[in-house]
Amino acid sequence: MENFSLTLEQTKVMYSLEYHLVLDDIDNESNPRKKSLKREWLLNWKNSIESLHKNQNQSSFCLITFFPNLEKEIDKLNSEPGSSFDKKNILLEISLFHPYQKLGINNDNKFKELKIADREKTTKKLEFFASKLGLSTDCVKRFTENYQKAINGISGRFVKTLMGGFIGTAILAVAAAFFTPAIAIFLAPILAPGLSGAAAVSAVLAFLGGGAIAVGGFGMAGGFAVLVAGGAILGGSAGATVGTLFAQSPDIALNQAAKLEVVMKEIIFIQKDIRLAQEIIKEQRQAIRSLEDKIDELVLNKEKNQKDIENLKKAIEYLNKALERNQNLL
């Protein structure tokens, strides 16, 4: 699981790149009213991301809004030995980032009409970010296409995905039902301990919107890490924690599993690191067993937990299919 964890500095680079991706889309927006709404959403999202990290005792965590300063941080990342895997995971998250999702704030519905103004220009911006990270610009197209294939293969049906880590029209209603204030408050003790009310809602939803899960106490250095690129479904401890999410919507499991398949293809076919691929498959099995154990606990009060049990069974179905596909890749 450590292979999928980002340091605080890497996390800041990832979210800052997402910030500038949205900023570029705002520049491309021709409708003055929508442009204003997009600026408002971006400010709310930025504040939410920073609030969550500051609540995790990272008081100095601020997104880098001045791009030349961000370039300096990227240069530092590029100079780190063995950072290629981390950079690919960062680019994957950025490529699948879905801006303008609900943040759980007042008048949130006013943002629902917002969408990327020019997808071709956004793709070009992503390719620019890839080159800044020292990666091939082909990665962007490869990541998004492989993610689409993984979603369809794991779910067993064709699902047109939007740009972003969330799944498109056929499943979007389920994802939207998951991202509600009530669910955010339910998850706040896990993802944003200490926050409450609107602050908890905003922080949790923004953090999940970035495609990452905050994890503490799983052997990560400093007790804090961000798991990306499907790493949230790996390992027994992670499986038990994200089981809470899957019990609300199994499509979160589908999303995470699809990201992991993209990474597995990179590991096997590009990096040709068979040992790492085998380790990931082993942890996938462990995570599935952890979720099965959680179902056993819920069955003790089956009537009360019936919906959670059904959702977890569906999530496990997705994860078993994802495991089979990754084994076939290997």
Side-chain angles (χ1 to χ4, degrees), residues 36-68:
S36 178
L37 283 174
K38 286 183 175 183
R39 287 197 188 102
E40 183 180 349
W41 182 90
L42 181 59
L43 179 61
N44 289 330
W45 177 82
K46 174 180 177 291
N47 290 340
S48 297
I49 293 290
E50 292 175 345
S51 294
L52 178 58
H53 284 83
K54 288 175 181 177
N55 186 64
Q56 294 278 352
N57 296 319
Q58 307 294 343
S59 57
S60 63
F61 190 94
C62 293
L63 300 192
I64 306 169
T65 57
F66 185 53
F67 194 75

Side-chain angles (χ1 to χ4, degrees), residues 26 41 51 56 132 140 145 245 248 282 296 325:
I26 293 172
W41 182 90
S51 294
Q56 294 278 352
K132 284 292 180 181
V140 174
E145 289 183 351
L245 305 182
Q248 303 304 314
K282 182 179 178 180
D296 290 340
R325 288 171 62 85

Side-chain angles (χ1 to χ4, degrees), residues 5 8 45 58 96 103 125 133 182 190 219-220 293 301 317:
S5 65
L8 188 64
W45 177 82
Q58 307 294 343
L96 300 181
L103 296 175
K125 194 68 175 182
L133 289 166
I190 301 172
M220 303 297 182
D293 290 342
N301 194 343
E317 180 183 329

Side-chain angles (χ1 to χ4, degrees), residues 119-158:
R119 294 192 180 277
E120 185 175 342
K121 289 182 178 179
T122 297
T123 299
K124 291 294 183 184
K125 194 68 175 182
L126 286 167
E127 291 174 347
F128 170 72
F129 289 161
S131 64
K132 284 292 180 181
L133 289 166
L135 301 173
S136 169
T137 57
D138 293 341
C139 287
V140 174
K141 181 179 180 182
R142 191 164 69 239
F143 288 170
T144 53
E145 289 183 351
N146 284 338
Y147 176 78
Q148 173 73 72
K149 291 176 183 177
I151 287 290
N152 294 336
I154 295 169
S155 66
R157 59 189 187 278
F158 178 76

Side-chain angles (χ1 to χ4, degrees), residues 136-257:
S136 169
T137 57
D138 293 341
C139 287
V140 174
K141 181 179 180 182
R142 191 164 69 239
F143 288 170
T144 53
E145 289 183 351
N146 284 338
Y147 176 78
Q148 173 73 72
K149 291 176 183 177
I151 287 290
N152 294 336
I154 295 169
S155 66
R157 59 189 187 278
F158 178 76
V159 179
K160 179 63 177 176
T161 59
L162 301 172
M163 177 189 168
F166 297 111
I167 301 158
T169 52
I171 301 179
L172 195 58
V174 178
F178 169 76
F179 289 103
T180 63
I183 294 302
I185 292 172
F186 174 68
L187 293 174
I190 301 172
L191 301 182
L195 290 186
S196 60
V201 171
S202 184
V204 170
L205 295 186
F207 208 55
L208 292 174
I213 303 293
V215 177
F218 292 152
M220 303 297 182
F224 176 87
V226 170
L227 294 181
V228 294
I233 64 175
L234 296 179
S237 298
T241 303
V242 299
T244 306
L245 305 182
F246 300 163
Q248 303 304 314
S249 172
D251 290 315
I252 304 299
L254 174 57
N255 173 39
Q256 291 289 307

Side-chain angles (χ1 to χ4, degrees), residues 299-316:
V299 167
L300 295 176
N301 194 343
K302 187 174 183 179
E303 184 174 344
K304 177 183 176 181
N305 299 321
Q306 186 60 41
K307 186 61 178 178
D308 288 355
I309 293 170
E310 291 175 3
N311 284 342
L312 277 176
K313 285 183 177 179
K314 187 63 178 179
I316 290 173

